[in-house]
Amino acid sequence: MKPTPDPRSEGPQDQVSEKFPISEEDVHAAMKKIPGYLDITASDFKDLYALSYQHALDRVINSVRAEDVMTREVVTVDLGTPLHEVADRMAASGVSGVPVLDRNGKVAGIISERNFLKHMGADKASFMAIVAACLLGQGCAAIGIRKGLAADIMTSSVISILPNATLAEASALLTRQGINRLPVLDEQGKLCGILTRTDLVRAHVYG
Amino acid sequence: MHYFQKMKGSAKSPPGPGAQEIAWSWLGAFLGITAVSLVHYHFLDQRDLILIIGSFGASAVLIYGAIKSPLAQPRNLLGGHVLSAIIGVFCFQTFHGETWLAAALAVATAIAVMHATRTLHPPGGATALIAVIGGDQVHALGYLYVLMPVGLGAVIMLAVALLVNNIPQTRKYPEFWL
């Protein structure tokens, strides 16, 4: 941050030029490729470009919906699924979190790697804390939850979104709640997909 | 693209400026033209000297009304007017037997030279043309035309542009000098 910013360089274009820097030299080189006289300076074009890019970005995150980018084939478990099976299923499908469904197929909770870690005695629920405990010869940290079921460790206050929520809303919710995935539920509460940070990154809108 | 289709135009016209921009353009032009015409009508007119020519009206559009345009920068304003004036006087003195040829050569050459020197300033075309069709008073000046009215007038207009265009926070002039 410059101490006394030029009033013209403030505002949204700064955000963009950090993410996608384009220099006056780039514009100058591009202008040379266009035959004929261009009645604009490279610096004005640069500002114009940054503002249009931001505008396009805003348009995308306000028009693309959760259902457009969410993962539709959701790996789920049931309330009564034993934890070793939950872990197995997560490992096999390469996901780090799964919704837990009740008997009616409604989402009753969500289990992520963090829930496992928390119940394996790690104070701050960190993987390295578990590793440290194992190396100190305190035995298998998972022993305490060996007989557990999904319902025992799941987070039951599930934050979810509707399929027609915009990516801007989804992105803000993820950041505000400090979470990594949002079950996408329709009006009837039926699970129709899951939206992860990875999905947002793939849609090029998550900052 | 098909020849006739190109005539339809395909781009969207750009948005207009705000009321503030219009007001500052008006004020700049008013003061700039005031400066040159006051001197012209109060001090020079009686002595067969001139300071104001028609092409300054066109320059005012650029340097007070479209100040971010490369066409409106000091290099273009001064370079465009002075080079075009030299070309205009030369064409008149060389081809004045055929005024139509002198006029056409003056404007066309002025554009080419302004382009080649990166000093393109549309009013320069008028400055070159005025050297040919501006009448006896202009013709009598010879190459003095380049210094006065053209050079001096442009410098005065530039001074006003520097003073006025930099007052509002939203405006700055020039974009570049050289």
Side-chain angles (χ1 to χ4, degrees), chain B residues 108-155:
Chain B
T109 311
I111 295 173
V113 170
M114 286 191 287
H115 254 323
T117 53
R118 293 190 295 114
T119 58
L120 192 66
H121 185 63
T127 295
L129 186 59
I130 290 165
V132 177
I133 65 167
D136 295 339
Q137 204 187 5
V138 167
H139 296 155
L141 295 172
Y143 280 98
L144 179 62
Y145 174 74
V146 177
L147 295 179
M148 199 168 110
V150 175
L152 183 60
V155 166

Side-chain angles (χ1 to χ4, degrees), chain A residues 6-8 28 31 36-44 47, chain B residues 62 68-73 76 115 120 169-170 172 175-176:
Chain A
D6 182 329
R8 296 191 321 161
H28 199 84
M31 287 171 88
Y37 186 81
L38 291 174
D39 189 15
I40 188 168
T41 60
S43 92
D44 279 350
D47 290 351
Chain B
L62 285 164
K68 287 162 95 53
S69 166
L71 302 172
Q73 303 311 307
N76 301 66
H115 254 323
L120 192 66
Q169 265 213 314
T170 50
K172 92 184 218 311
E175 293 290 314
F176 57 87

Side-chain angles (χ1 to χ4, degrees), chain B residues 18 33 41 47 88-89 91 107 110 113 126-127 130 135 141 149 154 160 169 176:
Chain B
I33 299 296
Y41 289 110
R47 294 169 222 178
V89 174
C91 288
V107 175
V113 170
T127 295
I130 290 165
L141 295 172
V160 174
Q169 265 213 314
F176 57 87

